[in-house]
C-alpha cells in the first residue's frame, strides 16, 4: 500500500514575511499628510477660521452645508461667537466671507479624518497579514492613539472659544494641539527610518538636548501664533525701533512670560538663533555618515529663518506666514531624521 510522506517544511504553518520597506513607505505617506495638515492648520489660524464650525460631528460633519438653509443655520451659530460679535462682525463678515473661513476649518477637520483612516486601515491590513514585526506593534498602536487624541485636542482647543466672549481660542490649547502633531510627525519619521535601516536607533544625549532647545522655539512660535503676536512689530532686527520692546509685568512675571505678545515675539525672534546653533551642531555630528540628512536639516532651518524674517517684515502676509509654518513641520521631520542617524549603530549607518 502506498504511503504519503510530508516534509517538515510542508507541515509547518505558513506565516507571511515581515515587510519593513512597505511599512516604512506607508508611515512616510502618513507623515506627508501630517505635514499637509500642519500647513492647513496654519492657514486656518491665519485666516481666523478656527471658530467657524461651532460643533463637532464626527460622522455628519464630513459633508459641508449643501443648501442655502443649512449655510444660514451655520452662519447663525457663528454669529453667537465672541469672534463674530467683536471682530469679524464689525469688520463686515457676511455669508460669502463666512463660507471661505468655513472651508479652511472644514478642510482641516477632513484631513484629520483622512489621516486617521490612512493610518488605521493599512495598519489593520499589515497586522492581519502578520507583516508587522512584533516589536513595532506597541509603537504603532501608540501613534494611532496619538492621532485619536489629536482629534480630541482639536475640539478641546475650539471649545475654548465657543460659547464665550473670547475672540480667539486658548493659545495654550493651540500649542498643545500643534506640538502633539509635530511629535507624531517625528515619531513617524523615526519609525520609518528604523524600518528602512533594519536597526533600532537610540536617543543620544546630544540629540535630546537639541530637541529640547527646538521644543522651546516651537512652543514660543505656537504661542506667538495663538496670540497674533506676529503683529506686535513689523520691523527687524529691531521691534518698533527698539532692541527690547516695552513689556507690562503688572500681571506678574509668569503671566507676562506666557501671554504677553511683545515679550513672546521678542523671545521667539532671538531664541531662534540659539536653536540655529544647536541645529548646526547636530547636523555636523552626522555629516560624515549621513550627508543627506545634514543637508536637509541645514536647508530646513535656513529657509525657516528667512521666512520668519519675511513674515515679520511683510506684516504677516498670509502665504509667507503659512510657508513659515510649513517649513517648521519640514524642520521637525529633518531633525527626527538627523536624530535617528545620530543614534544608529555606526556599523549600520
Amino acid at each position: 500500500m502506498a504511503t504519503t510522506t510530508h516534509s517538515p517544511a510542508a507541515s509547518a504553518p505558513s506565516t507571511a514575511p515581515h515587510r519593513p520597506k512597505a511599512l516604512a513607505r506607508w508611515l512616510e505617506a502618513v507623515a506627508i499628510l501630517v505635514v499637509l495638515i500642519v500647513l492647513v492648520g496654519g492657514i486656518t489660524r491665519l485666516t481666523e477660521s478656527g471658530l467657524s464650525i461651532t460643533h463637532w460631528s464626527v460622522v455628519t460633519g464630513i459633508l459641508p452645508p449643501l443648501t442655502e438653509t443649512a449655510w444660514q443655520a451655520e452662519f447663525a451659530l457663528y454669529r453667537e461667537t465672541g469672534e463674530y460679535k467683536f471682530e469679524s462682525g464689525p469688520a463686515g463678515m457676511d455669508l460669502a466671507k463666512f463660507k471661505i473661513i468655513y472651508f479652511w476649518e472644514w478642510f482641516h477637520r477632513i484631513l484629520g479624518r483622512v489621516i486617521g483612516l490612512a493610518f488605521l486601515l493599512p495598519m489593520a491590513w499589515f497586522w492581519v497579514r502578520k507583516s508587522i514585526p512584533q516589536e513595532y506593534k506597541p509603537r504603532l498602536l501608540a501613534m494611532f492613539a496619538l492621532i485619536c487624541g489629536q482629534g480630541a485636542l482639536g475640539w478641546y482647543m475650539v471649545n475654548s472659544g465657543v460659547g464665550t466672549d473670547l475672540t480667539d481660542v486658548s493659545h495654550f490649547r493651540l500649542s498643545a494641539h500643534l506640538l502633539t502633531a509635530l511629535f507624531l510627525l517625528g515619531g513617524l519619521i523615526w519609525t520609518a527610518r528604523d524600518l528602512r535601516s533594519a536597526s533600532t536607533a537610540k536617543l543620544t544625549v546630544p540629540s535630546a538636548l537639541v530637541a529640547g532647545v527646538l521644543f522651546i522655539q516651537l512652543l514660543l512660535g505656537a504661542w506667538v501664533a495663538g496670540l497674533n503676536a506676529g503683529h506686535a512689530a513689523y520691523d527687524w532686527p529691531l521691534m518698533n525701533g527698539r532692541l527690547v520692546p516695552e513689556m507690562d509685568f503688572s500681571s506678574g512675571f509668569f503671566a507676562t512670560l506666557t501671554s504677553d505678545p511683545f515679550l513672546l515675539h521678542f523671545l521667539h525672534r532671538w531664541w531662534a538663533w540659539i536653536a540655529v546653533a544647536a541645529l548646526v551642531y547636530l547636523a555636523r555630528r552626522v555629516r560624515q555618515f549621513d550627508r543627506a540628512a545634514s543637508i536637509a536639516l541645514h536647508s530646513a532651518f535656513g529657509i525657516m529663518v528667512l521666512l520668519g524674517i519675511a513674515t515679520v517684515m511683510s506684516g504677516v502676509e498670509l502665504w509667507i506666514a503659512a510657508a513659515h509654518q510649513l517649513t517648521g513641520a519640514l524642520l521637525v521631520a529633518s531633525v527626527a531624521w538627523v536624530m535617528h542617524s545620530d543614534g544608529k549603530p555606526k556599523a549600520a549607518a
Side-chain angles (χ1 to χ4, degrees), residues 111-156:
L111 273 177
R113 292 172 171 88
V114 169
I115 289 171
L117 291 175
F119 194 95
L120 175 61
L121 296 181
M123 181 176 69
W125 187 83
F126 284 123
W127 199 298
V128 169
R129 293 182 61 84
K130 305 184 187 307
S131 300
I132 304 174
Q134 187 65 33
E135 63 271 23
Y136 286 91
K137 290 180 178 179
R139 203 188 307 188
L140 295 178
L141 289 174
M143 285 191 282
F144 181 65
L146 198 59
I147 291 172
C148 296
Q150 269 295 92
L153 265 177
W155 173 241
Y156 182 63

Side-chain angles (χ1 to χ4, degrees), residues 49-70:
S49 302
L51 295 177
S52 59
I53 303 178
T54 59
H55 49 91
W56 190 27
S57 302
V58 177
V59 178
T60 59
I62 293 174
L63 295 176
L66 299 177
T67 66
E68 190 66 17
T69 301

Side-chain angles (χ1 to χ4, degrees), residues 15 25 55 75 84 109 127 139 150 154-155 178 217 219 227-228 244 303 315 323 334 344 347-348:
T15 58
R25 288 192 293 269
H55 49 91
F75 191 32
Y84 178 84
R109 296 189 186 198
W127 199 298
R139 203 188 307 188
Q150 269 295 92
W155 173 241
L178 175 60
Q217 179 64 3
L219 177 64
L227 292 167
N228 296 316
V244 180
I303 293 171
S334 63
K344 278 196 306 185

Side-chain angles (χ1 to χ4, degrees), residues 179 183 190 203-219 271 275 278-279 281-282 332 335-336 339:
L179 293 176
F183 182 77
W190 186 288
L203 180 63
T204 66
V205 172
S207 286
L209 293 174
V210 172
V213 171
L214 180 61
F215 172 81
I216 293 172
Q217 179 64 3
L218 295 172
L219 177 64
W271 188 264
L279 293 170
Y281 164 73
L282 184 61
V332 169
V335 167
M339 288 173 61

Side-chain angles (χ1 to χ4, degrees), residues 315-328:
V316 193
E317 177 67 31
L318 171 62
W319 298 110
I320 298 176
H324 182 56
Q325 181 151 324
L326 169 64
T327 310

Side-chain angles (χ1 to χ4, degrees), residues 77-127:
L77 291 172
Y78 175 68
R79 291 199 299 270
E80 296 299 316
T81 65
E83 182 177 80
Y84 178 84
K85 293 175 182 177
F86 302 111
E87 284 189 356
S88 59
M93 172 69 70
D94 57 16
L95 182 59
K97 293 177 181 177
F98 172 71
K99 288 181 179 181
I100 296 173
I101 65 170
Y102 188 98
F103 165 78
W104 285 113
E105 175 64 9
W106 172 81
F107 187 33
H108 187 57
R109 296 189 186 198
I110 287 296
L111 273 177
R113 292 172 171 88
V114 169
I115 289 171
L117 291 175
F119 194 95
L120 175 61
L121 296 181
M123 181 176 69
W125 187 83
F126 284 123
W127 199 298

